[in-house]
Amino acid sequence: MATTDRQATTLALAHALSAAERGLAVIPLSRTKLPALRSPHRDETKISEASGAPEPAPGPPCHGECGRFGHGVYDAATDPARIREMFAAAPWATGYGIACGLPPHHLIGVDLDTKSGTDSSAALRELALRHLFTIPATVVVLTPSGGRHLWLSGPPDVVVPNSAGRLAPGIDIRGAGGYLVGPGSRTDHGVYATAPGTARLAPAACPPALLRLLLPPPRTPHHPTPTSTGDHGQGLVQFVLAAHEGQRNTRLFWAACRAYEDGIGPALVDPLVEAALNTGLTEREARATIASAARMTGHRP
């Protein structure tokens, strides 16, 4: 490895450890901005009895339960020892990613892109005027292409999904399950840097009006019978049961929102609470999260 690459890796690790001290969970990234560690399951295939060809092994996808590195954002950590282990396993890493949606900040990234030829900053200002919100002073990261990443903090019981161009052309959102390239990272196109005067700021709270725009649009309720939730209801319960630590509240909130939007919220409260209890949440936490979802979707808890 060239000396410059070693220096980039050392600097990336230092910046990642500094971010972790602020409660931001991180993973190592390559120069392409992708996770530096490949999946340990990429070669896990079985031979089809019907065709004799290799096909993916059965079972749900692993999100790090196997204990090995290589699960992308699911590897994100704030523990310095674990971060050093990840970088040691990826000595080619020249940057780091910051996982969004995780406590304590529940980070939401607003990516104002310039590559599409649109003025994303003007689009955001127009949205702010139309929906009566202002972007508070917060961390701003400058990208090598001339774009900006705005860091905002979301509520702990709200799941903000990732999206590209849905809010407006040139505006991408990094939410739960996504990550932002951290300042100090070096990529093939240059270095990410914190905008002057923002490095010491904490991620500001996302304005409620903007938060509503970031959530998925309500679905048309089909009003099934109160005692029948169908396959969709069972799917939402299974979605909550599959949550691991750090995702339990967000998965429960998302599932409850979908249930209320689809008209099965009241019938699914108890099954969702039971599923949440199985993941380790208390009944009080579970019912509070479901009640919050009901209010968010315009229903009475």
Side-chain angles (χ1 to χ4, degrees), residues 222-261:
H222 57 263
H223 302 297
T225 57
T227 57
S228 174
T229 61
D231 292 340
H232 181 56
Q234 291 304 311
L236 294 175
V237 171
Q238 290 300 318
F239 179 75
V240 173
L241 286 170
H244 58 75
E245 189 172 0
Q247 290 187 327
R248 296 174 298 191
N249 259 316
T250 55
R251 278 184 173 245
L252 176 60
F253 181 84
W254 187 92
C257 282
R258 300 294 79 74
Y260 276 105
E261 288 168 357

Side-chain angles (χ1 to χ4, degrees), residues 9-23:
T9 301
T10 301
L11 284 172
L13 173 58
H15 283 294
L17 290 171
S18 178
E21 289 180 355
R22 301 175 64 181

Side-chain angles (χ1 to χ4, degrees), residues 11-65:
L11 284 172
L13 173 58
H15 283 294
L17 290 171
S18 178
E21 289 180 355
R22 301 175 64 181
L24 299 167
V26 300
I27 55 171
L29 299 182
S30 69
R31 284 184 174 273
T32 62
K33 301 187 294 185
L34 294 175
L37 292 166
R38 295 180 63 189
S39 170
H41 309 292
R42 62 187 181 278
D43 298 324
E44 293 181 4
T45 58
K46 68 183 184 72
I47 302 300
S48 169
E49 294 181 2
S51 65
E55 60 183 31
C62 178
H63 290 158
E65 294 85 355

